[in-house]
Amino acid sequence: MRNPFSSIPANIRWPMFIIGLLSISITASAYTFYKAHSDGGPAIVENYYEKGKNWNASAEARRNGGRLDVEIRVLPATGDNNMRPVEVTVRDSTGATVDDLTGMIRGLRPHLAAPVASVPLRSVDGTPGTYRQLLPMAAGGIWDFEIDGSLGETPIQTTIRVRL
C-alpha cells in the first residue's frame, strides 16, 4: 500500500507536521484554561484535611442539597456598616417550600481561605421557605454562599455562587 504523504515534498511535509503539533498544543492549552475558569476559577478550601477525612458524609450532604432548589438574593446594604440582607428561598424537587431547614449560612470569597461570615439560618415569619440573615459584604465580585444544615435527620449542604 502506498503512503499518501509520500507525494508531498519533504520541504512542505515537515513544516506541516510541526504546525500541526503546535496547533494541537495551543488548542489543548486554550481548552484547559477555559475549563479551569468556567466555574468561576479556583477556590481556597479551608481546613481541607478535615474535609477530606469526612468526604463520604460531605458527599451525601451535597447530594441531598442538590435535590433542593435554592435561590439567593442579596439586598442593598442597610447602612454605613455594609451589612447586607441575604435572602434564601428553598424549595424541594416538587416545588414545595422547605420550612424546617436548620443550619448555617456562610458568606465566602473564593480567593480567601476563611469565611467572611458564618451565621445561623433564620426563617422569615409569614414567608414559608424563606430565610434571611445580615452578612458583612463590603465588596462586590464573586461570592459563594454555603448552606450547611439539616432537614430533620437528613444532612444538607449546597453552595450557590453569586456575582455582585
Side-chain angles (χ1 to χ4, degrees):
M1 181 172 193
R2 186 171 173 217
N3 184 353
F5 294 108
S6 63
S7 63
I8 301 173
N11 66 339
I12 295 175
R13 184 174 49 229
W14 285 108
M16 283 176 41
F17 178 70
I18 299 300
I19 289 171
L21 288 176
L22 290 173
S23 297
I24 290 170
S25 174
I26 290 169
T27 302
S29 297
Y31 178 75
T32 302
F33 181 80
Y34 168 75
K35 289 305 280 183
H37 288 76
S38 64
D39 66 348
I44 297 174
V45 177
E46 180 187 21
N47 202 1
Y48 67 91
Y49 180 72
E50 286 299 319
K51 285 189 177 185
K53 285 182 12 180
N54 299 323
W55 181 260
N56 289 338
S58 296
E60 179 187 353
R62 282 191 302 277
R63 273 192 304 275
N64 295 336
R67 294 182 188 112
L68 298 176
D69 179 28
V70 180
E71 180 183 323
I72 302 274
R73 286 184 42 219
V74 180
L75 304 172
T78 59
D80 296 334
N81 57 4
N82 293 318
M83 296 296 279
R84 295 179 78 168
V86 175
E87 195 171 89
V88 180
T89 305
V90 183
R91 291 184 169 75
D92 63 13
S93 58
T94 64
T97 58
V98 175
D99 303 329
D100 56 345
L101 181 64
T102 59
M104 302 291 283
I105 181 169
R106 291 181 190 84
L108 307 153
R109 298 300 306 264
H111 63 283
L112 300 175
V116 174
S118 182
V119 294
L121 286 169
R122 192 174 67 214
S123 62
V124 177
D125 292 334
T127 311
T130 302
Y131 305 86
R132 185 179 296 149
Q133 194 57 273
L134 290 173
L135 297 175
M137 301 173 66
I142 296 175
W143 284 82
D144 287 341
F145 295 98
E146 182 180 272
I147 297 171
D148 191 6
S150 61
L151 285 170
E153 297 295 318
T154 306
I156 300 294
Q157 191 178 69
T158 188
T159 302
I160 306 297
R161 182 161 280 186
V162 176
R163 184 179 299 269
L164 299 177

